[in-house]
Amino acid sequence: MQVSYLYLALGWLSVGLGIVGAFLPILPTTPFMLLAAWLFSKGSPRLHAWIYNHPHFGPSIRHWNEHGVIHRRAKIMAMSAFVVVIAASLIFVENRWVVMIQLLVAIPVSCFILSRPSRLPASMPMAQVQTQGGEPGAGS
């Protein structure tokens, strides 16, 4: 099996998980789409361009790649998912090591997510903001 086929298969798996995540609040969409964009960039320039310019997923991918932006809504969803999963584990899982491992992952990941900017830079030209699907000054 060629490596590019592996990148394509994993890219499509990531897209599928991202789409499922759009309907399940516990599963994040954006990280899977970011992963799919990276995988497609390795396996297919055409698919990378497709996801990078996708009307729904493209803006988040571009904002992350170009400015390191994680929008406020995505931050809230990520933090909520961590809280729900850890709370459910505290209630339903008897082995406390599971919760400890979750906390060891969730705390640094949360710190990273919360440390990223929530808005595009203010110095960004208006035309560039409009082509990227954002509103100037919108802090979503």
Side-chain angles (χ1 to χ4, degrees), residues 59 74 99:
V99 176

Side-chain angles (χ1 to χ4, degrees), residues 18-118:
I19 290 171
V20 169
F23 300 101
L24 295 176
I26 201 74
L27 191 64
T29 299
T30 304
F32 286 114
M33 292 305 178
L34 288 171
L35 179 60
W38 182 82
L39 290 163
F40 286 157
S41 75
K42 302 293 184 189
S44 169
R46 183 179 62 83
L47 288 174
H48 179 259
W50 168 76
I51 199 166
Y52 199 76
N53 295 306
H54 190 276
H56 185 73
F57 304 118
S60 294
I61 294 168
R62 287 190 304 274
H63 294 167
W64 170 254
N65 284 345
E66 296 167 12
H67 305 286
V69 169
I70 300 175
H71 293 283
R72 184 178 297 129
R73 182 174 185 274
K75 290 180 179 185
I76 291 169
M77 294 298 290
M79 297 306 110
S80 300
F82 281 142
V83 169
V84 168
V85 168
I86 292 170
S89 294
L90 283 168
I91 295 168
F92 298 112
V93 177
E94 291 183 26
N95 188 344
R96 292 299 172 223
W97 282 105
V98 171
V99 176
M100 292 302 294
I101 291 169
Q102 288 173 332
L103 287 170
L104 286 172
V105 171
I107 291 170
V109 170
S110 296
C111 290
F112 176 78
I113 289 171
L114 295 173
S115 73
R116 303 293 87 206
S118 297

